[in-house]
Amino acid sequence: MVAVLSSSLPERVGRLSGCDVTAGAPLAPLTSVRVGGPAEALVRPRSPEALVALLRLVREEGVPLTVLGGGANTLVGDGGIPGVTVKLPGDLFPELADVGAEEGRLTLGAGSAIVRLCNVMRAHGLVGAEFLAGIPGTLGGAVTMNAGTKNGECFRVVEAVEVATADGLGWLSRADIPHGYRHTELPRGGVVTRVRFLLRKGDLEASKKVMDEDLAYRKRSQPLSQPNFGSVFANPPGDFAGRLIESVNLKGHIIGRAQVSLLHANWIVNLGGATAHDVSSLLTLMQERVKQERGVVLQPEVKRVGVFLP
């Protein structure tokens, strides 16, 4: 049962014009691992102005705020999420393209799927973001965690990010946003609304070949057919989280209905019917075992949100 702060919260939020509000909305279907309880109030703003108004209400009333992107790196507790959970629609903003002879700028909404960037990039004869092609989730989530692979990270192609706060909307240049490996420092209480990417003209066939080869590799080496997060831990300097987890004999380990993938030890899969408690317990075990036996503290890429029940 979700922990409820106030039975009137969904009604109060619902009075804001331009916001669709669902009380007690199931969140498991909105996450890639398919576990977790409901949201006290799931809110989908229909305009940037409605989002700003929502953030103002949240600040004035001291209501907890959670932003749910594509749910690819989010573990929702079995007790659900108290307060307001925001999910931006993928079509909240129009897509913009400014393409010249040698480079192009593409502006997409934060609620758009990451793969959408790759499709729009190709449609305008641009290259440079191939490494993002197989990453699940939304562009807002990619910016928030500086998502990437061994071939590159999100901020390599980001030029600017628009952020909504209780005080309004504003653009921040790449240079004004501290970022690093799987980490971005955004304004407190802010929500990414749009992202502008700077790409270049290039060989589209070579670009497609790189993306196809990357996707083929992922299908061979990652459990894409099962509910999962993607990588659950960041790679420590000079090593790989998957190698460390496998070295302490946890590959294939099961707790409840959650399993360390047999294909890739840095992935957790839902075997069907897993709970957030199962997944969280497995994450903790992986972290503790690697620390005890290898002396390495693995840093989670997965974000725990909401109420976790014993």
Side-chain angles (χ1 to χ4, degrees):
M1 186 69 179
V2 66
V4 178
L5 292 180
S6 168
S7 59
S8 66
L9 176 62
E11 289 82 357
R12 299 202 311 279
V13 175
R15 295 190 195 107
L16 294 172
S17 62
C19 285
D20 295 323
V21 185
T22 306
L27 292 178
L30 300 181
T31 70
S32 60
V33 77
R34 301 291 190 267
V35 304
E40 182 178 359
L42 179 65
V43 184
R44 291 181 171 89
R46 296 195 302 272
S47 71
E49 294 76 20
L51 174 60
V52 171
L54 174 66
L55 296 177
R56 191 174 300 124
L57 173 68
V58 164
R59 183 176 68 180
E60 290 171 354
E61 299 201 11
V63 175
L65 174 71
T66 301
V67 180
L68 184 67
N73 287 85
T74 303
L75 176 60
V76 177
D78 293 315
I81 303 180
V84 167
T85 301
V86 177
K87 185 166 179 62
L88 298 184
D91 59 353
L92 187 61
F93 297 92
E95 297 174 350
L96 303 175
D98 179 12
V99 181
E102 297 183 358
E103 62 183 23
R105 289 171 171 81
L106 302 178
T107 303
L108 287 81
S112 300
I114 295 173
V115 69
R116 180 62 188 161
L117 170 64
C118 298
N119 293 337
V120 176
M121 173 182 78
R122 182 170 176 80
H124 288 281
L126 299 169
V127 301
E130 290 79 11
F131 58 91
L132 291 172
I135 299 177
T138 62
L139 291 173
V143 166
T144 300
M145 69 170 293
N146 195 16
T149 68
K150 62 182 179 180
N151 297 317
E153 60 185 23
C154 187
F155 267 80
R156 192 172 84 183
V157 290
V158 167
E159 183 177 68
V161 177
E162 185 186 54
V163 178
T165 69
D167 299 314
L169 291 161
W171 283 92
L172 297 172
S173 71
R174 179 184 185 276
D176 293 330
I177 304 173
H179 59 275
Y181 176 64
R182 304 297 178 267
H183 173 71
T184 305
E185 293 181 27
L186 293 166
R188 185 176 179 84
V191 178
V192 175
T193 52
R194 288 189 291 177
V195 189
R196 186 164 67 239
F197 298 92
L198 178 60
L199 303 165
R200 67 183 188 279
K201 285 293 187 73
D203 186 334
L204 292 185
E205 289 308 308
S207 173
K208 184 177 185 299
K209 182 179 179 182
V210 168
M211 288 190 283
D212 288 346
E213 289 176 350
D214 183 49
L215 291 172
Y217 169 76
R218 286 173 176 270
K219 289 178 180 178
R220 292 193 306 271
S221 62
Q222 299 169 353
L224 302 181
S225 64
Q226 297 171 286
N228 64 78
F229 295 109
S231 297
V232 294
F233 294 105
N235 288 323
D239 211 334
F240 297 96
R243 188 199 73 79
L244 290 165
I245 295 163
E246 188 168 356
S247 77
V248 297
N249 300 312
L250 284 179
K251 193 173 188 179
H253 190 83
I254 296 173
I255 293 180
R257 296 294 294 164
Q259 181 184 41
V260 178
S261 171
L262 290 165
L263 272 179
H264 195 309
N266 195 26
W267 288 51
I268 289 176
V269 297
N270 181 349
L271 297 174
T275 64
H277 184 269
D278 296 338
V279 176
S280 183
S281 298
L282 198 52
L283 279 165
T284 299
L285 175 65
M286 295 159 78
Q287 200 170 29
E288 290 179 347
R289 185 78 66 83
V290 169
K291 180 181 179 181
Q292 290 169 357
E293 299 189 20
R294 298 293 178 262
V296 177
V297 178
L298 294 177
Q299 299 299 322
E301 290 189 10
V302 172
K303 180 175 65 173
R304 291 177 171 94
V305 297
V307 178
F308 286 81
L309 304 177

